[in-house]
């Protein structure tokens, strides 16, 4: 789910992570300083550096067609191994020893000052161009780069799934410089030891070369084998770690060590070797991309290609060293390639910080802009080469004694480290403490309504710092220890929390988007004296999808193994009281594939027989939220993110709402995390910083959401309510009734009803218009405007008909998202609402048609099948009459057992004050064996019954044996008001609302 660098995502597929050229070696004398033991200068190698650096730069700039330009780093490693090993061996052959102090002194003055200039510039520029939290990370990168340990810092970050959300470092390219320095810190002393053993040999040159080659061959083979293994198990480790790159230096070393110069060979063969090598490098740059497992076997192509180019220009016995007219060396040795090659080191050092810092300041750029920025980086690169690198390399004062070169190198390390520590300390003081948040001081979360926190006098919600602070948010993970298992792990530990000896438990199952709910689930389990079992794996979709792991850099086989093991463990263990599932909602854009994958997982879960609740995926900001907040602490609204990108359609939630998965319920906290219907979602609500990275909630936000989530779970009937503080609303009713849904319509005046509970019907028919004018001939257009559907701020819903200036009617019609309200086997379902009818009568009420009713869940599958799927009209009233009535629809369109289209009606039930006050309307679907019927109530009095015996069993089953969804609406006009003798006309008065105080759904099991 990630893209190659320089994408801002924190965990791009490590092949190709930003790759740096290895340290370009200049001509032998330049690299080794004044020495009488120089080899012939190789202009073709200087040109080969140009090819390598241009490939890397084109890749970083995103130039189309060069997605594999990261192979340039492999070329540089081979060149470095060839030149440095050759230099050390020539010194050993000529003098009988290797002067390590001289060697490291030359490298220090040649390489470290230029790097120090760039590190210092980045440390200072970062203080200006980056936000404080990212600046603190950057200064740590400066320290690691200056100490030649950058690769291990980035390995740690990229192999850590929980480090997701951080943007690219401007110093990510320093990983390869660190690899090279670490290699030579071991390679040069090893060669020095070998030389000591071979120095007294009669033929010292042959003995030294043979001994070094014998050491290099097993090193190359072992490193290559390790590279293959790590590429298969941890691509970041394989790509950035020194041990998996040693073999590429070793290939260059073997080219320098073996006696190719003694071999006779036809020039055409060398000519072919050179062109084949450069073709292999070019082919890799074009053919490879982010999906290529790298380095692995794929790295052989550019590595051996570079070796072939170098080998092509090594003269055999008796041959001249001048390049042939058609050889690749002639092309690479041209003036332009050599000029770029001389600049390659400083150009590489500068180009990546220029790209990353420019994007940090101005946002992501297209490839032409990035290419222009890369070209512009040549200016500071040339200045650094001209006035830093070359003067120090050529200075007789510095090169006269090795200790002076080492002093220059040490100074070049110390200065950026000190600068980074000063800037970093200042930034950390600005950010505040990164200590864990004290959860005991948090204000209570609201269990309903549009606000995150409960509105109490003890909960100040005004100005003040966000909680947690940005630095705290980065580390605000669920306190579940090692139970959110890493990508390489295939089995979760036992991970029981709370009352671990209890026979009752909640199971939390899924990926890290399930794991973020740990604290809330643990609180609910502990409150009930239950255990919590966590089975969570990072980056592993719970639906059975085949995905790749960015951390492992390949197919996520461990995910498939873990998922199968988790499902089998649940099958074998005692049945839990509740299974809570959740998963990132964007592993695939193929809704059909996703539905099939979910079915494969849900089938064995449903077979367990425990209630299952799906927590809809929370918004995914897609940007480093704590970093953004650190830059806008006084204006957190500046860090709001796109609603459309953050909340993608959830096919599973829709299917559950449609009743397609009996036994599975869906709940969502998204209406409060992303309230309203504007274009953006907030990063901070009521001073609570919601996200710890680019995708996951902070643990503080989850703790605050616990009461709301508990209410949703108890309202759904999945979790029994408990008494005492913090208990969710909706306790079990008398005589064994359990409340499974409650809507109190709390919220500020003028706001819409909870989008977590209700859907708006829009227009004049369901999608596809299977029945125009809602099938009843009514004249209004339904809207989701708060002009028509709104809360009154006093705990009631208002559905208000309105009329436009041109005489068109508008009104409101809402449905419950849930469509799984059903009587348990052998039990009873009760649906109830307290309603005040529109307070209008006479001619002013002509055409008014308020209603509270249900439809069968199967209708949502294409909105066809009426009336066979059943309709229960709990309350209807027309034309402002002092009466209400109830009806059941079933069977066929004309006639049948329900006498359609009229249905089985109660007839008018007198209710003289139903317009001026709230009255209770209810229906019960009773599935008790031998006494199945539907009963209607008005203020607790049964006024209508329809028994199962009135129709054939098939019609009865089709009408009531499935989930139901609830509907509240006020229609204008239509067949029923017309049958009562009135239609909307000029005298009909708009603006009179139907008010709803509450809606509840309860169930009662079969009597013992």
């Amino acid at each position: 789910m990630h893209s190659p660098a320089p994408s801002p995502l924190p965990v791009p597929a490590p092949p190709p992570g930003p790759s740096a050229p290895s340290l370009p070696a200049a001509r032998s004398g330049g690299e080794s300083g004044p020495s009488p033991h120089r080899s012939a200068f190789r202009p073709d190698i200087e040109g080969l550096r140009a090819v390598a650096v241009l490939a890397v730069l084109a890749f970083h700039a995103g130039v189309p067609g060069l997605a594999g330009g990261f192979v340039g780093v492999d070329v540089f490693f081979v060149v470095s191994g060839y030149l440095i090993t050759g230099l050390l061996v020539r010194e050993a052959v000529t003098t009988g020893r290797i002067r390590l102090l001289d060697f490291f002194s030359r490298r220090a003055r040649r390489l470290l000052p230029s790097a120090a200039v760039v590190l210092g510039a980045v440390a200072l520029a970062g203080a200006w161009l980056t936000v404080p939290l990212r600046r603190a990370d950057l200064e740590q990168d400066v320290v690691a780069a200056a100490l030649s340990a950058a690769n291990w810092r980035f390995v740690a970050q990229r192999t850590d799934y929980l480090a997701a959300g951080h943007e690219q470092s401007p110093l990510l390219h320093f990983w390869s410089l660190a690899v090279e320095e670490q290699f030579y810190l071991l390679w040069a002393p090893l060669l020095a030891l070998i030389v000591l053993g071979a120095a007294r040999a009669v033929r010292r040159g042959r003995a030294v070369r043979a001994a070094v080659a014998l050491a290099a061959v097993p090193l190359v083979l072992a490193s290559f084998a390790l590279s293959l293994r790590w590429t298969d198990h941890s691509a970041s480790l394989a790509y950035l770690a020194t041990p998996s790159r040693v073999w590429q230096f070793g290939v260059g070393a073997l080219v320098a060590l073996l006696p190719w110069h003694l071999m006779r060979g036809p020039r055409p063969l060398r000519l072919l070797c050179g062109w084949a090598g450069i073709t292999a490098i070019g082919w890799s740059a074009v053919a490879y991309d982010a999906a290529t497992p790298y380095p692995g076997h794929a790295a052989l192509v550019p590595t051996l290609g570079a070796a072939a180019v170098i080998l092509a220009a090594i003269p055999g016995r008796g041959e001249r060293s001048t390049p042939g007219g058609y050889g690749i060396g002639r092309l690479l040795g041209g003036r332009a390639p050599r000029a770029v090659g001389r600049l390659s080191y400083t150009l590489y050092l500068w180009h990546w910080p220029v790209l990353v810092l420019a994007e940090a300041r101005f946002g992501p750029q297209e490839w032409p802009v990035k290419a222009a920025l890369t070209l512009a980086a040549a200016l500071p690169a040339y200045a650094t080469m001209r006035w830093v690198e070359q003067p120090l390399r050529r200075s007789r004062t510095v090169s006269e004694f090795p200790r002076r070169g080492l002093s220059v190198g040490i100074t070049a390390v110390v200065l950026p480290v000190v600068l980074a520590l000063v800037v970093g300390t200042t930034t950390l003081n600005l950010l505040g403490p990164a200590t864990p948040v004290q959860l005991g001081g948090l204000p209570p979360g609201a269990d309903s309504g549009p606000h995150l926190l409960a509105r109490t006098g003890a909960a100040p919600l005004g100005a003040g710092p966000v909680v947690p602070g940005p630095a705290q948010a980065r580390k605000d993970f669920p306190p579940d220890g090692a139970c959110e298992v890493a990508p390489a792990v295939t089995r979760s530990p036992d991970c029981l929390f709370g009352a671990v000896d209890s026979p009752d438990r909640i199971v939390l199952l899924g990926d890290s988007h399930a794991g973020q709910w740990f604290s809330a689930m643990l609180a609910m389990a502990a409150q009930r004296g239950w255990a919590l079992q966590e089975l969570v794996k990072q980056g592993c979709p719970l639906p059975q999808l085949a995905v790749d792991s960015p951390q492992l850099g390949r197919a996520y086989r461990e995910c498939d193994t873990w998922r199968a093991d988790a499902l089998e463990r649940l099958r074998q263990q005692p049945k839990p009281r509740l299974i809570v599932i959740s998963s990132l909602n964007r592993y695939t854009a193929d809704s059909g594939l996703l539905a099939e994958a979910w079915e494969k997982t849900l089938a064995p879960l449903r077979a367990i027989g425990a209630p299952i609740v799906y927590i809809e995926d929370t918004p995914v900001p897609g940007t480093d939220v704590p970093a953004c907040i650190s830059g806008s602490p006084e204006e957190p609204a500046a860090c709001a993110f796109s609603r459309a990108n953050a909340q993608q359609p959830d096919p599973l939630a829709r299917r559950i709402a449609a009743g397609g998965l009996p036994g599975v319920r869906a709940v969502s906290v998204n209406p409060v995390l992303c309230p309203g219907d504007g274009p953006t979602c907030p990063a901070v609500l009521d001073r609570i910083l919601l996200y710890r990275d680019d995708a996951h909630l902070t643990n503080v936000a989850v703790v605050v959401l616990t009461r709301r989530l508990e209410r949703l779970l108890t309202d759904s009937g999945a979790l029994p309510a408990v008494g005492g503080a913090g208990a969710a609303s909706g306790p079990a009713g008398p005589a064994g009734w359990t409340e499974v849904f409650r809507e109190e319509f709390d919220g500020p005046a003028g706001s819409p009803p909870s989008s977590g509970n209700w859907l708006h019907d829009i227009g004049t028919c369901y999608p596809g218009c299977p029945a125009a004018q809602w099938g009843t001939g009514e004249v209004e257009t339904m809207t989701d405007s708060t002009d028509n559907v709104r809360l009154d701020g006093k705990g009631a819903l208002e559905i208000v008909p309105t009329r436009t200036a041109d005489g068109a009617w508008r009104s409101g019609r809402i449905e419950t998202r849930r469509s799984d309200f059903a009587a348990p086997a052998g039990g009873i379902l009760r649906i109830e609402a307290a309603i005040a009818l529109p307070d209008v009568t006479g001619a002013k009420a002509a055409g008014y048609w308020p209603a509270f009713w249900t439809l069968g869940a199967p209708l949502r599958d294409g909105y066809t099948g009426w009336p066979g799927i059943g309709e229960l009209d709990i309350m209807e009233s027309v034309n402002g009459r002092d009466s209400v009535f109830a009806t059941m629809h079933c069977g066929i369109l004309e006639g049948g057992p329900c006498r359609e289209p009229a249905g089985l009606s109660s007839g008018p039930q007198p209710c003289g004050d139903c317009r001026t006050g709230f009255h209770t309307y209810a229906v019960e679907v009773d599935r008790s064996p031998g006494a199945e019927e539907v009963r209607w109530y008005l203020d607790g009095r049964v006024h209508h019954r329809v028994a199962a015996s009135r129709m054939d069993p098939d019609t009865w089953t089709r009408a009531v044996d499935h989930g139901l969804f609830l509907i509240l609406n006020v229609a204008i006009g239509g067949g029923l008001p017309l049958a009562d003798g009135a239609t909307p006309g000029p005298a009909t008065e708009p603006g009179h609302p139907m008010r709803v105080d509450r809606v509840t759904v309860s169930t009662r099991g079969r009597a013992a």
Side-chain angles (χ1 to χ4, degrees):
M1 55 185 175
H2 308 287
S3 58
S7 161
L9 290 175
V11 282
S19 37
S22 65
L23 310 181
R27 62 185 69 193
S28 180
E31 174 65 32
S32 59
S35 170
H37 311 299
R38 298 179 184 175
S39 64
F41 173 59
R42 293 282 303 270
D44 60 316
I45 289 183
E46 199 162 60
L48 183 59
R49 289 197 200 98
V51 172
V53 77
L54 290 175
V56 174
L57 268 58
F59 161 63
H60 283 163
V63 176
L66 289 173
F70 55 86
V71 299
V73 72
D74 306 76
V75 176
F76 278 113
F77 285 164
V78 175
V79 168
S80 179
Y82 171 76
L83 291 174
I84 300 301
T85 302
L87 178 139
L88 292 172
V89 169
R90 283 193 300 275
E91 180 182 6
V93 170
T94 305
T95 67
R97 63 193 179 98
I98 293 176
R99 295 183 292 271
L100 292 177
L101 198 62
D102 285 355
F103 172 73
F104 288 116
S105 174
R106 291 192 297 268
R107 288 187 67 81
R109 72 172 186 267
R110 160 75 172 85
L111 304 171
L112 297 182
S114 297
V117 170
V118 174
L119 292 175
V122 168
L124 293 175
W128 172 49
L129 295 173
T130 61
V131 296
L133 190 56
R134 192 174 180 200
R135 188 185 314 151
D137 293 337
L138 176 58
E139 303 309 329
Q140 295 181 47
D141 294 344
V142 170
V143 173
L147 297 175
S148 296
N151 64 320
W152 293 110
R153 172 167 169 78
F154 298 128
V155 163
Q157 289 180 346
R158 289 184 167 229
T159 55
D160 182 5
Y161 182 88
L162 298 180
H166 301 187
E167 297 178 352
Q168 296 282 18
S169 168
L171 300 176
L172 190 54
H173 64 321
F174 267 73
W175 75 268
S176 67
L177 281 72
V179 166
E180 183 159 350
E181 288 309 306
Q182 292 162 24
F183 172 72
Y184 287 118
L185 281 173
L186 297 175
W187 184 238
L190 177 61
L191 263 60
L193 289 175
I194 293 173
V195 167
L196 286 177
R200 299 185 181 276
V202 175
R203 299 188 177 187
R204 186 167 61 200
R206 183 176 299 177
V208 168
R209 291 178 181 273
V212 175
L214 287 175
V217 168
L219 202 62
V220 166
L221 295 176
S223 172
F224 183 64
L226 186 62
S227 176
L228 296 179
R229 177 173 176 78
W230 281 355
T231 299
D232 190 52
H233 289 82
S234 176
S236 293
L237 194 62
Y239 196 85
L240 300 172
T242 304
S244 61
R245 292 292 191 165
V246 164
W247 69 276
Q248 295 178 301
F249 294 98
V251 168
L254 290 174
V255 173
L257 289 169
L258 299 181
W260 311 106
H261 61 286
L262 299 179
M263 297 178 61
R264 298 182 182 275
R267 278 194 173 273
L269 185 59
R270 294 184 183 276
L271 186 73
L272 179 62
C273 181
W275 283 106
I278 202 70
T279 300
I281 296 170
W283 178 85
S284 302
V286 172
Y288 291 174
D289 59 21
T292 305
Y294 211 82
H297 293 97
L300 283 170
V301 179
T303 300
L304 297 181
V309 172
I310 296 171
L311 179 61
I314 298 177
R317 186 191 300 272
E319 294 180 353
R320 298 177 61 186
S321 61
T322 55
Y326 299 101
I328 188 62
R330 171 80 64 173
L331 178 63
L332 295 177
R335 180 175 298 179
R338 288 179 56 193
V340 176
R342 284 192 296 272
L343 189 64
S344 60
Y345 177 50
T346 54
L347 180 58
Y348 177 75
L349 288 176
W350 278 104
H351 86 283
W352 182 247
V354 167
L355 284 176
V356 174
L357 290 174
E359 290 198 326
R361 183 70 173 180
F362 303 108
Q365 303 296 320
E366 298 297 325
W367 78 264
V369 176
K370 291 196 286 188
L373 289 170
T374 301
L375 184 63
L379 296 177
Y382 178 79
T384 304
M385 180 186 72
R386 176 69 176 78
W387 288 299
V388 178
E389 176 187 327
Q390 290 181 347
L392 286 172
R393 190 179 67 188
R394 295 169 178 171
S395 170
R396 290 187 177 274
T397 301
V398 175
S399 62
E400 185 176 5
F401 298 105
R403 64 176 179 272
R404 292 178 180 174
L406 291 175
S407 297
V408 169
I410 292 172
T411 302
V413 171
V414 170
L415 287 179
V417 168
V418 171
L419 181 60
L421 292 176
V422 171
V423 175
T425 301
T426 304
T427 302
L428 290 175
N429 290 334
L430 178 66
L431 285 171
T435 54
V437 181
Q438 298 301 314
L439 299 179
L442 288 176
D447 64 1
S448 62
H451 299 291
L452 183 65
L453 298 180
R455 264 40 187 175
T456 66
L461 304 178
V466 298
V467 181
Q472 293 173 311
R474 275 275 179 86
K475 301 177 181 179
D476 196 28
F477 298 105
D480 56 355
C483 286
E484 189 172 312
V485 297
V489 179
T490 58
R491 179 180 171 85
S492 288
D494 288 339
C495 288
L496 283 173
F497 300 87
V500 296
D501 295 329
S502 171
D504 299 315
R505 73 189 192 284
I506 298 174
V507 173
L508 181 60
L509 177 66
D511 63 5
S512 59
H513 283 235
Q516 69 185 356
W517 296 112
F518 172 83
S519 292
M521 292 299 112
L522 180 58
M524 294 180 210
Q527 194 174 25
R528 290 159 176 79
W530 298 354
L532 172 67
Q533 181 180 18
E534 184 181 26
L535 298 173
V536 167
K537 182 169 175 61
Q538 299 166 0
C540 178
L542 188 55
Q544 294 191 27
L545 293 167
V547 297
D548 292 338
S549 166
Q551 285 69 42
L552 302 178
R554 54 166 172 76
Y556 202 177
R557 297 185 294 270
E558 289 82 355
C559 174
D560 301 328
T561 303
W562 173 88
R563 187 192 305 111
D565 176 76
L567 294 175
E568 179 61 21
R569 287 168 68 178
L570 291 177
R571 186 185 70 81
Q572 294 181 356
Q573 292 173 354
K575 184 172 73 175
R577 291 293 297 268
L578 174 64
I579 300 174
V580 176
I581 62 174
S582 193
S583 184
L584 179 70
N585 184 30
R586 49 189 69 200
Y587 286 106
T588 178
D590 186 334
S591 58
L593 177 64
L594 183 59
E596 181 182 347
W598 269 117
E599 185 58 41
K600 291 178 181 177
T601 296
L602 289 173
L605 277 179
R606 292 166 65 193
I608 294 172
I612 301 171
V613 171
Y614 170 60
I615 302 179
E616 291 186 35
D617 193 20
T618 49
V620 176
T623 186
D624 188 346
V625 171
C628 181
I629 294 296
S630 75
S632 303
E634 306 301 326
E635 297 183 17
C639 297
F641 47 89
S642 166
R643 177 190 296 269
N645 294 335
Q647 287 190 281
Q648 296 187 359
D650 194 323
L652 179 60
R654 289 202 305 266
R655 189 177 178 201
I656 294 171
L661 290 169
V664 184
R665 303 165 175 85
V667 299
S668 175
V669 296
N670 293 348
V672 71
L673 291 179
C674 191
D677 55 2
T680 61
C681 298
V684 174
L685 275 175
D686 292 346
R687 291 178 44 212
I688 302 296
L689 203 167
L690 298 177
Y691 302 93
R692 70 173 186 251
D693 49 33
D694 66 339
H696 301 87
L697 296 176
T698 59
N699 192 56
V700 167
V702 171
V703 170
V704 169
L705 285 165
T706 298
R707 291 182 63 190
R708 182 180 300 267
L709 188 59
E710 183 173 21
R711 181 187 63 80
L712 292 172
L713 292 175
T714 54
D715 284 357
S716 73
L719 191 69
V722 295
S729 60
W737 288 98
T738 300
E739 196 172 87
V740 297
F741 177 83
R742 172 176 288 269
E743 176 62 86
E744 299 280 2
F745 298 112
D746 292 324
S751 63
S754 166
S755 60
N757 290 337
W758 301 95
L759 300 168
H760 286 273
D761 290 329
I762 304 297
T764 59
C765 56
Y766 281 119
C769 279
Q773 297 178 296
W774 303 110
T776 61
E778 54 206 71
V779 299
E780 84 293 335
T781 297
M782 296 298 185
T783 82
D784 59 358
S785 169
T786 51
D787 290 340
N788 300 117
V789 185
R790 61 183 178 240
L791 304 183
D792 68 355
K794 301 176 182 179
L797 172 76
E798 295 182 335
I799 300 181
V800 192
T802 60
R803 186 167 55 197
T804 63
D806 61 359
W809 284 92
R810 304 283 187 267
S811 191
R813 170 175 166 142
I814 61 173
E815 302 178 356
T816 55
R817 282 187 175 272
R818 290 181 58 183
S819 60
D820 60 348
F821 301 124
I828 305 173
L829 170 73
R830 180 179 176 88
I831 300 169
E832 179 180 296
I835 299 173
L837 299 181
D839 191 10
V840 61
T841 189
K844 296 179 181 180
Y848 266 73
W849 184 5
F852 173 43
W853 47 302
T854 78
L855 283 171
L859 185 74
R860 283 184 171 170
D861 185 12
Y863 298 104
T864 60
W866 189 92
I869 49 81
E871 175 182 327
L872 303 178
D873 300 326
I874 307 169
M875 184 282 300
E876 295 182 272
S877 181
V878 293
N879 300 328
R881 303 294 186 193
D882 290 334
S883 61
V884 294
F885 50 90
T887 306
M888 178 175 183
H889 294 277
C890 69
I892 57 176
L893 287 171
E894 297 290 339
C898 281
R899 301 197 294 267
E900 298 301 342
L904 301 177
S905 175
S906 67
Q909 302 295 309
C911 191
D913 60 348
C914 283
R915 296 188 309 276
T916 57
F918 289 100
H919 289 258
T920 301
Y921 304 90
V923 68
E924 289 181 356
V925 179
D926 191 343
R927 303 301 308 280
S928 301
E932 291 195 52
E933 68 174 4
V934 180
R935 295 181 293 270
W936 284 259
Y937 296 79
L938 172 57
D939 292 330
R941 174 182 61 86
V942 176
H943 69 89
H944 184 43
R945 297 174 184 266
V946 175
S949 59
R950 294 188 62 172
M951 61 195 72
D952 60 276
D954 182 63
T955 299
W956 177 259
T957 298
R958 289 187 61 214
V960 300
D961 190 16
H962 48 62
L964 306 175
F965 59 93
L966 317 186
I967 305 170
L968 291 160
N969 72 282
V970 177
I972 297 294
L976 203 58
L978 178 61
D980 185 61
T983 59
T988 304
E989 190 171 86
H992 296 281
M994 177 176 78
R995 296 183 296 144
V996 186
D997 180 67
R998 70 178 185 277
V999 177
T1000 62
V1001 181
S1002 303
T1003 61
R1004 187 169 66 185
R1006 180 175 181 173

